[in-house]
Amino acid sequence: MKRQAVGAIIAQAVQALIGLLIQILVARLLGIDDYGRFAILYGVVILATAVVTGLVGDSLVVLDRSQRTVRAGLEAMLLASSVVLGVAAFLVAWGTGFSSALEALLFAVALAAFSIEEIVRRLLIAHMSFIRAAITDVSGFVVAFGVILAAQLTGILTLSFFLAAIAAGQVVASVVGWFLVPKNDRVLVSLRGADIAAVWRYGVWRGLQQVLRPSLFTTVRLLSLAAAGITAVGLLEAARTYTSPLILVIGGLSSFLFVRFADQRRGGGATNSVREADRAVVFLLAGTVVMSVIAVVLIPWASPLAFGVEVDPLAVVAWLAYGLSVAIVTPYGALGAVGGKQIAVFLIRLSDTVLAVLIAVVMLMLDAPVSALPFGLAFASMLGGLALRWLVVASTGPRHPES
């Protein structure tokens, strides 16, 4: 189990590192203007992929995909969501004049390819094959980097080539990942009789939940911009990026716990899951404290190296406090979601997100420094974690998720 948990962290780290490398390549090779446009497009891709992950990826982990109708429903939902999101992305990017027709088309293809690769990746994660998931991501990056390098050497590299390279890499990664999935789960069925309703009833709430944290961060950025200007936003974001390895570790363990709790529920071991979630919280809190101390000590040396300026220590401590709150939320949210309480989990997370925004507004009205805002987010998130624990302890609902 420890090896699997470490594998989950490695897979999360590899995926994050690849995303960072792609953005660095764009900034270095195309310049800051094209990087600004790419960052917006890439952010939309990541958000859309997160929605598909919640809608289809979490559903395939929790629902019984060995049933033909459920498996057909998962396939149909992946196809529909990829097409709808891709078409919408093309129309918005092209219709608003943000991108040329070619760029918008390649953007849409890349978005759909990301969605499909992520679901193949989730199939591997469902088997606790985290290292294979990392191999899948690396194979896609190697292909994308090869296309980018070839275009750069021939002097034809543009933003369109970058989008095409990413799309090509994700297609190859999907194929590689598919052949790494265990043979008994490497099955496609006809869409006849697809139980789309079961997938939708479970997955829509998970998909909506994936939007909450990015929306919260965007709102906080806008509030900070209005209250203190763009420099304050930049410093706050630098501090958040500096503490991102902590959230990276928690995110990796979240994937591991979600699959483990789902397996336990199918195997009839749900009664022990609350105690395991408690142990996971204690472990995460202890690890977070240790990582936080290291992060604070290294501020004078590490932050100038990464950002060219020393990040605000108060903002770093505040984001670390937010990381502590995420450590409390994650295990109980995963346990509640696999236990058929995905609607309640979403409503609790929505409530603590709204509360976090209100707290941020009040703090700014009281002239609190922007760097202290993550303390307010942490307080709201911690309340959400306590509510989620109450939910999983008090729950007397059905043993299997809604379907």
Side-chain angles (χ1 to χ4, degrees):
M1 187 174 69
K2 291 179 180 178
R3 285 197 300 270
Q4 291 170 337
V6 172
I9 295 172
I10 292 173
Q12 186 81 2
V14 168
Q15 188 180 46
L17 178 61
I18 287 173
L20 179 61
L21 289 174
I22 287 174
Q23 294 186 71
I24 290 174
L25 284 172
V26 175
R28 292 285 187 178
L29 299 179
L30 294 184
I32 198 65
D33 289 341
D34 275 338
Y35 173 67
R37 291 202 301 134
F38 176 82
I40 294 173
L41 296 175
Y42 192 65
V44 172
V45 168
I46 297 303
L47 181 58
T49 302
V51 172
V52 174
T53 299
L55 186 62
V56 183
D58 287 354
S59 296
L60 72 85
V61 172
V62 174
L63 301 179
D64 185 4
R65 63 184 181 278
S66 65
Q67 295 183 19
R68 199 203 70 81
T69 54
V70 171
R71 197 172 194 91
L74 291 167
E75 293 175 9
M77 187 62 74
L78 174 59
L79 179 62
S81 58
S82 298
V83 170
V84 169
L85 289 171
V87 170
F90 170 79
L91 292 176
V92 172
W94 180 51
T96 60
F98 186 79
S99 301
S100 67
L102 177 60
E103 285 177 353
L105 177 61
L106 292 171
F107 166 51
V109 172
L111 188 150
F114 257 93
S115 300
I116 294 171
E117 191 271 345
E118 178 62 20
I119 298 308
V120 173
R121 191 174 182 275
R122 292 291 289 185
L123 264 178
L124 291 167
I125 290 175
H127 289 278
M128 295 284 192
S129 300
F130 296 104
I131 300 302
R132 292 187 179 188
I135 293 172
T136 298
D137 290 333
V138 170
S139 67
F141 175 72
V142 169
V143 171
F145 181 74
V147 174
I148 292 168
L149 182 61
Q152 173 69 9
L153 292 176
T154 54
I156 58 173
L157 184 62
T158 62
L159 182 57
S160 296
F161 269 98
F162 253 99
L163 294 171
I166 292 172
Q170 293 303 106
V171 170
V172 171
S174 299
V175 174
V176 171
W178 179 251
F179 283 102
L180 291 177
V181 172
K183 191 173 182 179
N184 63 339
D185 209 10
R186 201 190 312 147
V187 178
L188 293 176
V189 299
S190 74
L191 302 183
R192 179 177 52 83
D195 193 354
I196 298 176
V199 179
W200 176 260
R201 281 197 300 270
Y202 183 83
V204 65
W205 302 104
R206 298 295 293 168
L208 288 172
Q209 186 175 325
Q210 297 292 335
V211 180
L212 293 180
R213 187 177 294 171
S215 299
L216 172 62
F217 289 165
T218 299
T219 302
V220 169
R221 292 185 194 109
L222 293 175
L223 290 173
S224 301
L225 178 63
I230 191 64
T231 301
V233 176
L235 290 173
L236 186 66
E237 281 298 295
R240 186 182 68 83
T241 303
Y242 178 75
T243 60
S244 61
L246 173 61
I247 302 299
L248 190 72
V249 172
I250 295 173
L253 289 176
S254 175
S255 298
F256 165 73
L257 289 172
F258 189 80
V259 176
R260 180 168 174 78
F261 289 152
D263 289 343
Q264 284 181 341
R265 179 159 290 272
R266 279 193 292 268
T271 55
N272 297 321
S273 295
V274 174
R275 288 196 293 273
E276 184 166 353
D278 288 339
R279 290 195 296 269
V281 168
V282 172
F283 171 78
L284 285 172
L285 289 177
T288 299
V289 170
V290 172
M291 292 181 66
S292 298
V293 171
I294 295 173
V296 171
V297 170
L298 292 179
I299 286 176
W301 299 277
S303 64
L305 183 64
F307 305 105
V309 295
E310 183 173 327
V311 296
D312 186 345
L314 177 61
V316 170
V317 173
W319 280 120
L320 292 171
Y322 179 76
L324 279 169
S325 73
V326 174
I328 295 175
V329 169
T330 296
Y332 301 126
L335 182 55
V338 302
K341 299 300 177 183
Q342 65 275 7
I343 298 177
V345 171
F346 169 74
L347 292 176
I348 289 173
R349 296 312 320 278
L350 176 62
S351 299
D352 72 54
T353 300
V354 172
L355 177 61
V357 172
L358 293 176
I359 291 174
V361 171
V362 172
M363 290 178 68
L364 291 174
M365 290 176 64
L366 295 175
D367 293 328
V370 166
S371 56
L373 291 183
F375 283 121
L377 311 189
F379 177 74
S381 178
M382 192 173 300
L383 290 180
L386 295 176
L388 287 171
R389 189 184 189 282
W390 174 85
L391 173 70
V392 298
V393 171
S395 174
T396 56
R399 287 171 52 84
H400 297 286
E402 299 160 5
S403 60

